[in-house]
Amino acid sequence: MTFVTKLRFESGDRAVLDETVEGLKELLERKGAECKGPHASPPDRLRVPQYRNLAPGDEYEAWDYTVYTRRMEIHGNDHIAREVTMREFPPSVHVEVEVEQRSPLGGHT
């Protein structure tokens, strides 16, 4: 069985996000891990209404912001993947980790 660690990074600060992801990619390459990515998704433009109080119609101008997303996968190298998931990331970067167990092609489960 091979484990695939999927990492998803989100941030409103594109520069910090790119620096974080590129630094991680360099670390993985130095350690010899098989890594796919980073892959960028189109940015999400979000608009959040802001209300002065609970009465309808009394609003401030909506808050607009952009969320940038990058995805990476680490194949095998479980010890390196574990090390990455325990790492401290900047507070402005949200990180999601998903671990998937894959059987080799033609293998029996």
Side-chain angles (χ1 to χ4, degrees), residues 2-21:
T2 300
F3 289 94
V4 176
T5 305
K6 297 180 178 183
L7 303 165
R8 178 182 168 97
F9 302 88
E10 294 180 329
S11 181
D13 187 337
R14 185 176 181 174
V16 170
L17 178 64
D18 288 340
E19 180 181 315
T20 300
V21 172

Side-chain angles (χ1 to χ4, degrees), residues 2-7 72-76 78 81 97-102:
T2 300
F3 289 94
V4 176
T5 305
K6 297 180 178 183
L7 303 165
M72 295 177 73
E73 289 184 358
I74 303 169
H75 293 257
D78 302 340
V97 179
E98 179 184 340
V99 178
E100 184 178 293
Q101 189 175 7
R102 293 187 183 165

Side-chain angles (χ1 to χ4, degrees), residues 51 53-59:
Y51 300 96
N53 56 45
L54 297 177
D58 195 13
E59 298 179 18

Side-chain angles (χ1 to χ4, degrees), residues 4-104:
V4 176
T5 305
K6 297 180 178 183
L7 303 165
R8 178 182 168 97
F9 302 88
E10 294 180 329
S11 181
D13 187 337
R14 185 176 181 174
V16 170
L17 178 64
D18 288 340
E19 180 181 315
T20 300
V21 172
E22 288 303 323
L24 181 58
K25 172 84 173 180
E26 290 172 10
L27 172 75
L28 292 169
E29 288 174 347
R30 276 196 315 268
K31 293 195 174 221
E34 182 185 342
C35 177
K36 294 185 180 180
H39 303 290
S41 298
D44 287 326
R45 298 267 316 144
L46 303 173
R47 187 172 177 87
V48 180
Q50 300 182 86
Y51 300 96
R52 293 180 194 273
N53 56 45
L54 297 177
D58 195 13
E59 298 179 18
Y60 291 109
E61 187 174 331
W63 177 41
D64 294 321
Y65 65 101
T66 303
V67 176
Y68 302 93
T69 305
R70 304 289 182 269
R71 292 174 280 96
M72 295 177 73
E73 289 184 358
I74 303 169
H75 293 257
N77 297 302
D78 302 340
H79 64 286
I80 295 172
R82 189 174 304 114
E83 181 182 321
V84 167
T85 60
M86 301 302 289
R87 188 178 178 155
E88 289 288 324
F89 291 100
S92 62
V93 177
H94 174 77
V95 182
E96 293 179 12
V97 179
E98 179 184 340
V99 178
E100 184 178 293
Q101 189 175 7
R102 293 187 183 165
S103 299

